């Protein structure tokens, strides 16, 4: 058998190879992030990955923070959509700022489990939230998020009447005009409720894509309270267009006042709670400018206002108005197209109760300046509320359109309910 002899050069090469391999193991151990001494041996080696993970886990807070909306969200709600909550811990601090650094006031709940901003957010604004919480061992956790609220182009609001806290007449509907055309009427109407302390059934009616009115079958019960709730936050009214309102409005219904204008007898009977309290001589529209008939609701009151015939189509050959009176006293609007019941100081006192002379309005005797409280016009103005009903009859004209002003009472109940999307 041949005996092989290892030369010195071969021994040196093998030792160098073994040393390199051992060095590689040492390098790998060092990069593992272990806290023990390199080269330690045995089953309790603290440099093992399992030991490292276990040690790291023991140092991590158990508190779990959640920020709503999610980081990177757009079209976020401006109302109730923003919140910070924590599980397995307590919030220690929350900071909310606009992208430009403005602080947003907020409050941590008494149990330190949640936080919300104190006020409604602005539309089309980017906000940043930084939250910190601690678990039962005092270990801290952090979470950050940035989001952008819905823009005006991607949101809609409803401008409503009457105002919160107001007292109105029995004919006052809840009228909502949206600033964007609504295509999903059912979803929007579902987000709106109108109720009365009288228990009357209240139904909505869409006049078009932008206007939704609510009323009961008969006039509101005098002395009742009506509540409007807008729960439209996040409701999609049209493709890519969302509601932003979250609001409750209440208003009072005053005494039941209904006034009946008879263009044939040229008088107006004012009734309160079913009793006639005053009969006033009037002058309605002349035969060539008759007054609309029907149930009309007072929508605005002006102690004095300007009436220019050119704004409602009454013009001379030169294009100027057939009349332009800059100080019409005690004027109350009955239609959007220009029908008013108002004081008249320029006509002879003899016309009231005897002849119809106006361009379509209902005139009452008055004096210039609207300061004489003894005139019939002043009395009626002082005893009227926005929302009171004025019924006009025997004019020879057509019935006012239900959407011309707040005059939906000219639709019967079946027709009114047919316009509901609910």
């Amino acid at each position: 058998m041949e005996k092989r002899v290892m030369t010195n050069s071969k021994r040196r090469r093998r030792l160098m190879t073994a040393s390199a391999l051992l060095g590689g193991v040492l390098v790998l151990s060092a990069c593992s992030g272990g806290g023990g001494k390199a080269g330690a041996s045995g089953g309790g080696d603290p440099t093992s990955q399992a030991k490292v993970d276990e040690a790291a886990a023991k140092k991590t807070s158990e508190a779990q923070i959640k920020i709503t909306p999610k980081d990177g969200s757009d079209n976020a709600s401006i109302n109730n959509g923003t919140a910070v909550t924590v599980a397995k811990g307590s919030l220690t601090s929350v900071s909310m700022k606009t992208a430009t650094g403005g602080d947003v006031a907020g409050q941590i709940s008494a149990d330190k489990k949640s936080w919300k901003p104190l006020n409604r957010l602005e539309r089309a604004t980017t906000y940043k939230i930084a939250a910190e919480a601690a678990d039962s061992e005092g270990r801290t956790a952090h979470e950050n998020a940035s989001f952008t609220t819905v823009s005006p182009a991607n949101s809609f609001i409803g401008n409503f009447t009457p105002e919160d806290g107001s007292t109105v007449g029995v004919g006052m509907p809840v009228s909502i005009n949206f600033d964007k055309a609504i295509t999903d009427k059912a979803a929007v109407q579902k987000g709106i409720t109108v109720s009365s302390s009288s228990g009357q059934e209240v139904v909505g009616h869409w006049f078009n894509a932008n206007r939704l009115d609510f009323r009961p079958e008969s006039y509101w019960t005098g002395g009742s309270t009506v509540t409007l709730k807008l729960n439209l936050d996040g409701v999609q009214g049209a493709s890519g267009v969302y509601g932003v309102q979250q609001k409750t409005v209440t208003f009072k219904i005053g005494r039941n006042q209904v006034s009946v204008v008879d263009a044939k007898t040229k008088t107006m009977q004012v009734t309160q709670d079913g009793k006639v309290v005053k009969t006033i001589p009037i002058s309605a529209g002349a035969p060539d400018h008759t007054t609309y008939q029907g149930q009309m609701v007072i929508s605005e009151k002006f102690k004095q206002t300007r009436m220019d015939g050119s704004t409602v189509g009454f013009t001379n050959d030169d294009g100027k108005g057939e009349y332009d009176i800059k100080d019409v006293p005690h004027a109350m609007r009955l239609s959007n197209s220009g029908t008013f019941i108002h004081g008249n100081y320029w006509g002879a006192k003899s016309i009231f109760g005897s002849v119809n002379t106006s361009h379509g309005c209902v005139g009452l005797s008055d004096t210039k300046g609207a300061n004489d409280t003894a005139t019939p016009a002043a009395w009626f103005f002082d005893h009227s509320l926005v929302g009171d009903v004025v019924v006009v009859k025997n004019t020879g004209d057509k019935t006012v359109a239900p959407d011309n002003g707040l005059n939906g009472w000219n639709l019967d109940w079946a027709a009114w309910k047919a316009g509901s999307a609910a």
Side-chain angles (χ1 to χ4, degrees):
M1 175 181 244
E2 182 181 4
K3 184 178 180 180
R4 295 182 181 275
V5 179
M6 185 179 291
T7 64
N8 287 337
S9 61
K10 290 180 178 179
R11 286 194 186 93
R12 285 195 295 270
R13 284 197 298 272
R14 291 186 177 182
L15 288 171
M16 289 172 66
T17 301
S19 175
L21 289 170
L22 180 60
V25 171
L26 290 174
V27 169
L28 289 173
S29 296
C31 288
S32 70
K37 295 180 179 179
S41 61
D45 183 1
T47 65
S48 69
Q49 189 63 47
K51 291 292 185 180
V52 172
D53 291 344
E54 181 181 357
K58 289 181 178 179
K59 295 178 182 179
T60 300
S61 175
E62 293 185 349
Q64 300 172 4
I65 302 171
K66 179 182 178 181
I67 298 177
T68 306
K70 292 181 180 180
D71 186 39
S73 298
D74 56 12
N75 285 335
S77 166
I78 64 172
N79 293 288
N80 301 324
T82 302
V84 179
T85 58
V86 63
K88 298 181 180 180
S90 301
L91 291 173
T92 53
S93 70
V94 178
S95 170
M96 183 174 182
K97 295 179 179 293
T98 64
T100 57
D103 289 320
V104 176
Q107 188 172 41
I108 295 176
S109 62
D111 62 4
K112 298 184 178 180
K113 296 294 184 183
S114 63
W115 175 95
K116 286 186 176 182
L118 293 178
N119 301 304
R120 189 177 69 179
L121 306 182
E122 297 296 327
R123 286 194 282 182
T125 303
T126 298
Y127 293 93
K128 297 181 179 181
I129 294 180
E132 179 183 285
D135 64 10
S136 58
E137 300 297 324
R139 296 170 294 194
T140 59
H142 298 84
E143 195 72 43
N144 295 273
S146 176
F147 62 89
T148 303
T149 52
V150 64
S151 69
N154 294 105
S155 60
F156 70 88
I157 61 171
N159 298 300
F160 57 86
T161 189
E163 296 180 0
D164 187 31
S166 60
T167 298
V168 296
V170 296
M172 187 70 187
V174 172
S175 186
I176 305 171
N177 285 274
F178 299 101
D179 65 348
K180 303 281 195 313
I182 303 300
T183 57
D184 194 341
K185 295 178 179 178
V188 171
Q189 190 171 334
K190 185 178 179 180
I192 303 172
T193 59
V194 180
S195 59
S196 172
S197 63
S198 66
Q200 291 172 278
E201 179 188 10
V202 184
V203 175
H205 179 95
W206 290 88
F207 284 113
N208 51 50
N210 294 81
R211 179 177 170 184
L212 171 63
D213 283 17
F214 289 83
R215 69 164 175 90
E217 181 175 5
S218 302
Y219 301 142
W220 301 104
T221 300
S224 60
T225 298
V226 179
T227 301
L228 162 67
K229 291 186 177 181
L230 296 168
N231 295 306
L232 296 174
D233 189 35
V235 174
Q236 183 166 284
S239 179
V241 180
Y242 299 88
V244 295
Q245 287 169 296
Q246 194 81 19
K247 191 176 184 64
T248 298
V249 174
T250 60
F251 58 93
K252 287 278 193 181
I253 304 299
R255 75 287 174 272
N256 182 319
Q257 178 167 304
V258 177
S259 302
V260 178
V261 172
D262 188 333
K264 186 175 182 180
T265 64
K266 302 168 186 64
T267 59
M268 177 172 67
Q269 272 196 343
V270 183
T271 64
Q272 289 185 0
D273 301 320
K275 297 179 180 179
V276 177
V277 295
K278 198 171 186 67
T279 299
I280 300 174
I282 61 93
S283 179
D288 53 344
H289 299 303
T290 51
T291 307
Y292 282 135
Q293 299 190 129
Q295 302 172 76
M296 304 188 210
V297 174
I298 296 174
S299 58
E300 292 181 289
K301 293 179 64 180
F302 306 98
K303 188 172 182 180
Q304 293 189 91
T305 191
R306 179 184 179 184
M307 290 188 178
D308 182 352
S310 65
T311 63
V312 289
F314 293 121
T315 58
N316 294 315
D317 293 339
D318 59 3
K320 294 182 179 180
E322 292 181 13
Y323 58 87
D324 186 1
I325 305 170
K326 297 178 175 60
D327 56 354
V328 178
H330 300 121
M332 291 174 280
R333 181 182 294 278
L334 299 179
S335 78
N336 291 341
S337 60
T339 308
F340 280 78
I341 183 166
H342 61 78
N344 177 334
Y345 66 79
W346 52 91
K349 301 300 181 185
S350 59
I351 67 172
F352 301 103
S354 61
V355 60
N356 294 320
T357 60
S358 81
H359 282 75
C361 290
V362 177
L364 313 179
S365 180
D366 209 343
T367 56
K368 188 177 176 66
N371 292 318
D372 186 351
T373 59
T375 66
W379 182 95
F380 187 65
F381 185 89
D382 292 341
H383 288 80
S384 294
L385 296 171
V386 167
D388 281 348
V389 179
V390 177
V391 179
V392 181
K393 64 181 185 178
N394 295 327
T395 68
D397 206 329
K398 62 184 179 181
T399 298
V400 65
D403 61 345
N404 187 357
L406 303 177
N407 299 324
W409 301 103
N410 294 290
L411 286 176
D412 64 31
W413 190 230
W416 182 266
K417 293 176 77 172
S420 172

